[in-house]
Amino acid sequence: AGALRAAVAVGALGLGLICPEACGAEAAWAGETPILAAPSLIALVNHFRGQQMLSAPKPGDIIEGAAAPDLKDVKGQENAKRALEIAAAGGHNLLFIGPPGSGKSMMAARLPGLLPPLSPAELLETSMVHSVAGLIAKGELTRARPFRAPHHSATMAALTGGGVRIKPGEVSLAHNGVLFLDELPEFSAQALDSLRQPLETGEVMVARANAHVRFPARFQLIAAENPCKCGHGGAGRGHCGRAPRCQFDYQAKVSGPFMDRIDLQIEVPAVSAADLALPSPAEGTAEAVARVATARQVQADRALQADDARAEPLNARAEGDWLETIADLAPDARAVLARAAEAGGLTARGWTRTLRLARTIADLDGSGPVARIHVAEALIYRRAGAASPVP
């Protein structure tokens, strides 16, 4: 495990790598690094004696990922599909809240199909993480973005990394891809709060008594949850006799600081029989991919033309002066955002994330400046939280 990462590291030092023959195709992706992949120690000795020279290994294949399911399969839920497209365009975190069978997991599984393939730099970064985890078989790499969906019984170590011989966790295996957490409140509070650091910094530090290891963890979080424990929460809806207290208690399992790091929080209503009887939607993944690609290209061009080392090619990572520059609000738009903050619906982090979201909506709209309508839509997705329980 880790042959590719080792080959890249020794190559940066101007050295070469000797590895087992089974790791040669993986290590060869390091480029110009001299690699010897020996089937045995005897073969290695014979190579240096000049008796039986070993040839340099060739990189493994680039394999295509499985075809992503199409958005046309999702009937109804136009608001949720709009939120999914915005999340894909700007790299934003997204939470779906709705009863069982409303299509939350179905839509989350279609997010990777909206994202562009990994760039060469991202492919190398992602593959090195998977190499350390021992997940590269026969040196085969893929340009498909990672999609990790751990079960809600996953521990903090499984999510962030650890073990006797420290290995990357799910957040790092989802680097440059998507981490999907279904049944969000069912994860332990400790496990969820351990994600707060990587959601902010894009990396995770695994600390042990004998080692401190830093792994990259720049992932896009997609989560889903039911309104309450029985799944049918909400006054007058479903079969929950304890609403709204049941709803409040269930959603309160997820801490406020964690929720504040999720840019879009969207209610997904139950799908009606009328929706299911309709034909498939006219627009699907192909049309959404085109709009997402255009918006991402706008962001990439803006960062490329900027004379700022902190310029980020994705709105979800913009911060500081760079964010203020790209999301320079019109006076009426700033007034709407200020009123929302004064009403107590936004923290300082919420203000920043709303700006990022509004910038992405404007990019999808093909608009240069961020207008009032873009800020208003962004605020719709900033959910204030569960209703207060009845005394």
Side-chain angles (χ1 to χ4, degrees):
L4 174 57
R5 181 68 188 93
V8 171
V10 299
L13 298 173
L15 304 175
L17 178 73
I18 298 171
C19 66
E21 186 177 49
C23 302
E26 176 186 331
W29 281 108
E32 300 300 321
T33 304
I35 307 289
L36 281 180
S40 66
L41 289 176
I42 293 297
L44 189 64
V45 170
N46 289 336
H47 171 83
F48 285 115
R49 284 179 172 174
Q51 296 175 352
Q52 187 177 2
M53 303 301 291
L54 296 172
S55 58
K58 294 181 179 179
D61 297 327
I62 291 283
I63 59 175
E64 297 296 329
D70 201 296
L71 269 177
K72 284 187 177 181
D73 300 333
V74 182
K75 295 186 177 181
Q77 307 297 15
E78 297 305 320
N79 289 340
K81 286 192 278 190
R82 165 70 173 172
L84 190 69
E85 188 174 319
I86 294 170
H92 302 283
N93 301 325
L94 170 64
L95 170 65
F96 289 129
I97 307 166
S102 56
K104 305 183 298 295
S105 301
M106 193 176 183
M107 285 184 285
R110 280 149 180 77
L111 177 62
L114 303 182
L115 302 175
L118 294 169
S119 68
E122 289 175 330
L123 176 63
L124 182 60
E125 281 183 5
T126 305
S127 299
M128 284 194 291
V129 176
H130 288 194
S131 171
V132 172
L135 298 181
I136 298 181
K138 301 177 182 178
E140 295 175 340
L141 308 186
T142 176
R143 293 193 187 279
R145 290 188 180 270
F147 182 81
R148 306 291 300 186
H151 190 261
H152 56 72
S153 61
T155 63
M156 183 178 74
L159 289 177
T160 59
V164 178
R165 298 183 64 181
I166 297 178
K167 286 189 175 182
E170 293 291 335
V171 296
S172 296
L173 296 176
H175 181 61
N176 289 323
V178 177
L179 179 68
F180 176 46
L181 302 183
D182 201 6
E183 307 294 348
L184 185 66
E186 299 295 338
F187 284 83
S188 72
Q190 183 187 38
L192 288 182
D193 285 339
S194 71
L195 303 184
R196 284 155 57 177
Q197 179 204 10
L199 281 171
E200 284 292 322
T201 64
E203 60 183 20
V204 61
M205 172 70 79
V206 181
R208 294 291 182 269
N210 58 348
H212 287 67
V213 181
R214 190 187 306 273
F215 291 116
R218 195 183 307 114
F219 59 91
Q220 185 173 357
L221 175 67
I222 304 297
E225 65 175 40
N226 295 327
C228 68
K229 184 71 174 177
C230 69
H232 299 282
R237 292 186 295 166
H239 307 287
C240 182
R242 296 182 57 238
R245 180 177 292 277
C246 175
Q247 183 179 9
F248 177 84
D249 291 346
Y250 188 64
Q251 295 184 17
K253 291 183 176 182
V254 183
S255 70
F258 181 87
M259 292 291 286
D260 205 27
R261 288 165 166 82
I262 300 179
D263 302 346
L264 298 102
Q265 301 168 33
I266 181 99
E267 300 276 357
V268 182
V271 180
S272 67
D275 289 328
L276 295 175
L278 292 173
S280 296
E283 285 196 350
T285 294
E287 292 77 11
V289 162
R291 291 190 291 266
V292 168
T294 300
R296 285 202 170 215
Q297 190 60 52
V298 168
Q299 296 167 62
D301 292 344
R302 189 162 53 219
L304 193 61
Q305 295 167 8
D307 187 19
D308 190 338
R310 296 168 297 178
E312 283 284 355
L314 271 183
N315 291 331
R317 302 174 197 159
E319 57 186 15
D321 292 340
W322 172 243
L323 177 60
E324 292 294 331
T325 299
I326 65 174
D328 188 17
L329 304 181
D332 58 343
R334 188 167 292 276
V336 169
L337 187 56
R339 284 199 298 272
E342 289 167 2
L346 288 178
T347 63
R349 180 182 289 111
W351 175 286
T352 297
R353 290 184 176 272
T354 302
L355 279 179
R356 295 169 176 172
L357 199 54
R359 178 66 267 176
T360 298
I361 295 170
D363 290 338
L364 275 171
D365 204 23
S367 172
V370 178
R372 183 176 183 272
I373 190 173
H374 304 134
V375 173
E377 184 177 359
L379 287 169
I380 290 173
Y381 301 122
R382 295 295 304 179
R383 183 169 173 272
S388 298
V390 175

